[in-house]
Amino acid sequence: MAIRLASPCVCVARVICAGVVLTLVYFIPDGLPDYDDPQEPMSEPTLANKPRAISSGLDITEAPAIEPMDPLYPRIPHSLYDHIYYSSYDGGSVYDNRETTGGATKRRPLRLEAHMFDQVRDKVTKYLSSKHLGTYTSDECSDIRYRHLPTVGVEVDVLCRRSSWPHVDRVTLMLPQVAPRIVFHTRPTATALDPAINIVVPLAGRSSAFHLFLDNLRQVMAPHTNLQFGVGLTVVYIEDGGSEAARATLESAAAAIPRLHTDFLLLPPQKFSRARALKVGVEQSNITAPVVFLCDADVMFTHTFLTRCLATPVRGSQVFFPMVFSQYNPEMVYSLHGRKVPPPLQTLHVDNHSGFWRVWGHGMMCLYKSDFLGINGLDPRRTGWGGEDLGLLSKTAAMKYKIVRSLDYGLFHHYHPKNCSEAGRGQSWPCAKLRAMSEASGLSFGLWFFRHDYNSSSWGILRQKERNQLPRKDTANSAAYDFHLRLKFMTTT
């Protein structure tokens, strides 16, 4: 059963419990209404549902303390770690203090954000004009800070300045939210024996990765996890001489793991194509699970992730593109701190030094099989790895599906060395970037370098080492590669 209520909203909280998903939406009324007196009393009941200017920086006598005049404004927390900091907007770019957003230092504003900025600037210019404090244009009020305050709303700080004027006006607004309302409820049907999710994995070689994948699945489906539904696993193997060994490994896992249903599909020898393998796996698998999870052999997950994978998609309406936590090289991470490298299944935790969020990657996907067939978004002509996920995502968005995208703390990409020499067209730069990011954090690299008591620039030493080791005949190719990467870096940041 599904119930839908449409409303303009700003913040969405998803809660999943025992297979039931509740979506709580805090919404901001559509538009920023005008009202006659921007300084009307804060006790007026209608003010709780209006954006309002709560201080002006022109004259301290006109800006009494915020807390006494606005009972809805949050109290200043005592703990430093409870403070919520601001993101910034300069009229063209957003500087988000949450490093995971877009994976970039700055980014273009989203359409809804740009709409909010336009409304806020319009409100501020009208307010200052009504106070006879001068007339500004919207461009002169483009220095904006903002932050989302849970249970309160969005606080926006606007600075207006004109080069010919000796002063600056600062206006703070609150875009309040009302009480949360339940707008959607679903309970996916699943039984303990029948498969509710079909995990589709493309494979060619990679026997050690496949064994680790099955060990992880055995742990996920162990009795103590109380997973309440059966799981299917479809392996699509591109023949390279190792298919019989892979088939035997899969059959052994199916016999050892209760409630695991398996299928093995074999493609003839050909250049590896993730898109083709996934498409064949979904369309030709004998497993009848309603939801499919497009996955890779290098990915590990928890039983709580599988619950989210089942509960998040909505047939004909919503798909789930979780963001995976990509692990750094464990040899670098653990040895740097004098610790022994633990077994892979004991490294499934999220912290700043263990890995990073693949915010640009969309390779993991949970959706109903019927929606996958309807979207038809994977191009089987695309070879290699990379790019097929973005094509599928673009088609999904074009067909008006709601895309649920979140950092998933139960989804991990296991580290492995990367070889970009066989990357296909348009895949070399993404592969090079991922390889460069996957070894260690910047802090770990710095600590490793300076522990050897180098007292000069790391760039200078590494560059000299590179020049000393490269044969003369490779110098030109290296320079060309460096130039390509620098040009690509400048055009993508």
Side-chain angles (χ1 to χ4, degrees):
M1 178 184 70
I3 303 172
R4 301 173 185 276
L5 297 175
S7 64
C9 65
V10 169
C11 301
V12 179
R14 299 181 63 82
V15 181
I16 298 175
C17 180
V20 177
V21 56
L22 296 178
T23 303
L24 306 180
V25 177
Y26 297 95
F27 79 99
I28 294 176
D30 189 15
L32 303 186
D34 290 322
Y35 47 101
D36 295 334
D37 186 3
Q39 293 289 351
E40 59 186 336
M42 288 293 169
S43 59
E44 184 171 322
T46 59
L47 201 56
N49 293 325
K50 290 184 179 180
R52 53 195 181 277
I54 57 178
S55 71
S56 169
L58 181 68
D59 189 339
I60 193 64
T61 61
E62 294 190 22
I66 292 177
E67 291 188 18
M69 59 183 294
D70 189 352
L72 296 180
Y73 194 80
R75 302 294 82 99
I76 297 175
H78 296 291
S79 171
L80 172 64
Y81 297 101
D82 287 332
H83 283 252
I84 300 176
Y85 297 113
Y86 291 80
S87 297
S88 300
Y89 174 69
D90 64 3
S93 298
V94 168
Y95 304 84
D96 203 318
N97 65 21
R98 294 167 296 178
E99 295 178 349
T100 57
T101 303
T105 310
K106 71 174 183 178
R107 58 178 174 83
R108 291 182 300 175
L110 306 175
R111 289 185 179 181
L112 289 177
E113 289 176 321
H115 184 55
M116 179 186 73
F117 296 144
D118 289 342
Q119 290 184 314
V120 163
R121 289 185 293 188
D122 181 65
K123 192 69 181 178
V124 168
T125 55
K126 289 182 178 179
Y127 163 77
L128 293 175
S129 179
S130 71
K131 299 294 290 183
H132 307 291
L133 300 177
T135 302
Y136 287 97
T137 66
S138 292
D139 290 341
E140 292 169 335
C141 295
S142 292
D143 192 339
I144 297 175
R145 293 185 295 250
Y146 66 101
R147 60 177 180 168
H148 294 266
L149 300 173
T151 75
V152 178
V154 182
E155 180 183 6
V156 187
D157 222 19
V158 183
L159 270 65
C160 298
R161 61 170 64 89
R162 178 173 292 180
S163 58
S164 60
W165 291 0
H167 52 258
V168 174
D169 286 289
R170 175 188 170 197
V171 181
T172 302
L173 302 92
M174 286 296 299
L175 280 65
Q177 63 194 30
V178 298
R181 299 180 300 124
I182 295 176
V183 297
F184 182 81
H185 170 215
T186 184
R187 175 178 289 179
T189 57
T191 65
L193 296 178
D194 296 331
I197 296 177
N198 183 18
I199 306 172
V200 182
V201 177
L203 190 64
R206 309 294 307 282
S207 61
S208 59
F210 188 43
H211 278 87
L212 178 60
F213 181 90
L214 294 174
D215 287 343
N216 174 234
L217 192 57
R218 183 179 293 107
Q219 178 175 289
V220 166
M221 300 187 67
H224 70 271
T225 64
N226 293 320
L227 194 67
Q228 299 298 316
F229 51 86
V231 174
L233 172 60
T234 297
V235 175
V236 184
Y237 198 95
I238 300 176
E239 182 61 89
D240 64 348
S243 60
E244 290 305 316
R247 187 194 298 271
T249 300
L250 182 63
E251 292 175 351
S252 176
I257 304 176
R259 298 180 293 131
L260 176 63
H261 306 253
T262 62
D263 194 9
F264 189 88
L265 302 176
L266 182 62
L267 296 180
Q270 57 191 280
K271 191 170 184 179
F272 181 82
S273 168
R274 185 175 187 266
R276 183 185 302 115
L278 289 175
K279 185 176 177 67
V280 169
V282 175
E283 294 177 350
Q284 300 183 19
S285 175
N286 292 324
I287 298 174
T288 58
V291 173
V292 293
F293 169 34
L294 309 187
C295 190
D296 285 318
D298 300 311
V299 171
M300 299 181 290
F301 45 83
T302 65
H303 70 281
T304 57
F305 165 75
L306 285 184
T307 301
R308 288 188 290 276
C309 185
L310 175 63
T312 304
V314 178
R315 193 191 306 271
S317 174
Q318 297 181 16
V319 297
F320 183 31
F321 278 86
M323 283 179 271
V324 62
F325 187 75
S326 191
Q327 294 180 320
Y328 290 134
N329 186 343
E331 297 292 341
M332 172 76 80
V333 172
Y334 289 93
S335 62
L336 182 64
H337 299 282
R339 297 168 57 188
K340 183 180 178 180
V341 179
L345 295 182
Q346 296 180 20
T347 64
L348 304 186
H349 56 269
V350 176
D351 62 58
N352 291 336
H353 306 300
S354 296
F356 62 98
W357 294 107
R358 290 198 185 188
V359 294
W360 67 87
H362 306 85
M364 305 297 104
M365 184 178 185
C366 301
L367 77 167
Y368 276 83
K369 178 179 178 179
S370 57
D371 289 331
F372 178 90
L373 298 177
I375 295 170
N376 191 27
L378 286 176
D379 183 0
R381 296 169 298 179
R382 178 182 285 273
T383 59
W385 164 91
E388 79 289 333
D389 53 349
L390 190 57
L392 177 58
L393 178 67
S394 299
K395 282 195 175 182
T396 303
M399 295 183 69
K400 306 300 183 182
Y401 281 82
K402 178 180 178 180
I403 297 172
V404 179
R405 185 102 167 109
S406 60
L407 307 176
D408 201 292
Y409 49 87
L411 190 61
F412 301 84
H413 181 276
H414 180 61
Y415 169 85
H416 61 86
K418 294 171 178 59
N419 181 3
C420 300
S421 61
E422 298 182 358
R425 182 179 180 183
Q427 298 169 345
S428 296
W429 167 244
C431 183
K433 180 174 68 171
L434 185 57
R435 181 172 62 177
M437 296 181 64
S438 296
E439 290 300 317
S441 66
L443 175 61
S444 295
F445 264 127
L447 290 174
W448 176 86
F449 182 83
F450 289 110
R451 75 189 297 182
H452 298 286
D453 295 326
Y454 292 122
N455 291 317
S456 61
S457 164
S458 59
W459 166 251
I461 291 179
L462 294 175
R463 188 60 172 169
Q464 185 62 42
K465 182 179 179 64
E466 179 186 60
R467 287 173 175 168
N468 292 340
Q469 290 183 348
L470 274 176
R472 180 174 297 275
K473 63 179 181 179
D474 291 340
T475 304
N477 292 333
S478 177
Y481 184 69
D482 286 349
F483 175 77
H484 169 74
L485 289 188
R486 290 172 187 168
L487 180 62
K488 194 73 176 180
F489 177 80
M490 289 186 292
T491 58
T492 56
T493 56

